[in-house]
């Protein structure tokens, strides 16, 4: 049980006990019940009020739906922010081939986002794309721009640019596969899919070293 839930339960218990004590106090003033009967009445009132204060099943369901909707909206907002960042950074890309790959990846990402807008029930299934995988694309472009800004030998820059292109191809292919899997409702284990993607990228980096 979480801290917030324990706090709510404690408040319910305190309120029900206070109400029960007040009720028994007034009842004894009018009826002169003995201690045992008073205790039983106190217990019954306490339990009754405690359960009466419990949120209904529907209220709990509604709360979960609100929390789920809020989480999905946040995921989409953050993802759109990353795509806007990619669009902004592309103006600093000089290599036409790499620029084409970045634009193609942005297009695929936008298509995926458009589909998720129309099918919000599938947003949580795409959590890895909306978070880690888009971060990979942003990091790839950022690293490319940073390398081209520093004064290092051209051969090393060319090698890094080739690596960046290959990684962007891998990312775009992954986005396309995920888009297709979502449309066909075949997206199952995104953790495994994300791990495979990261392994491909790491392998590409080792080859390019």
């Amino acid at each position: 049980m979480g801290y917030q839930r324990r706090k709510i339960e404690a408040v319910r218990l305190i309120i029900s006990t206070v109400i029960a004590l007040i009720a028994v106090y007034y009842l004894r003033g009018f009826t002169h019940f003995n201690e045992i009967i008073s205790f039983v009445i106190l217990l019954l009132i306490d339990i009754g009020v405690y359960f009466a204060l419990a949120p209904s099943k529907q209220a709990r369901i509604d709360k979960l739906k609100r929390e789920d909707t809020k989480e999905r909206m946040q995921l989409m907002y953050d993802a759109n922010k990353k795509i806007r960042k990619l669009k902004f950074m592309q103006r600093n890309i000089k290599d036409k081939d790499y620029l084409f790959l970045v634009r193609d990846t942005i297009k695929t990402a936008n298509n995926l986002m458009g589909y998720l807008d129309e099918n919000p029930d599938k947003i949580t299934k795409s959590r890895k794309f909306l978070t880690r995988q888009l971060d990979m694309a942003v990091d790839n472009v950022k690293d490319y721009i940073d390398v081209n800004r520093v004064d290092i030998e051209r051969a090393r820059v060319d090698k890094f640019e080739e690596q960046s292109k290959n990684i962007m191809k891998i990312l775009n292919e992954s986005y396309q596969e995920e888009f297709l899997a979502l449309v066909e409702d075949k997206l199952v284990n995104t953790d495994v899919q994300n791990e495979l993607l990261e392994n491909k990228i790491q392998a590409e980096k080792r080859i390019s070293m």
Side-chain angles (χ1 to χ4, degrees), residues 78-104:
D78 291 342
N80 276 312
K81 193 174 177 181
K82 291 167 189 174
I83 293 173
R84 287 197 300 271
K85 189 171 184 179
L86 282 172
K87 289 178 180 178
F88 177 79
M89 289 193 297
Q90 70 179 349
R91 65 181 183 175
N92 294 313
I93 298 172
K94 296 175 182 178
D95 186 286
K96 290 182 179 179
D97 292 333
Y98 183 61
L99 180 60
F100 174 80
L101 287 169
V102 172
R103 286 177 175 171
D104 201 32

Side-chain angles (χ1 to χ4, degrees), residues 1-12 55 60:
M1 188 185 293
Y3 171 75
Q4 191 65 27
R5 180 75 182 274
R6 290 197 300 270
K7 188 177 177 181
I8 292 171
E9 294 296 325
V11 170
R12 279 175 59 203
R60 290 195 296 272

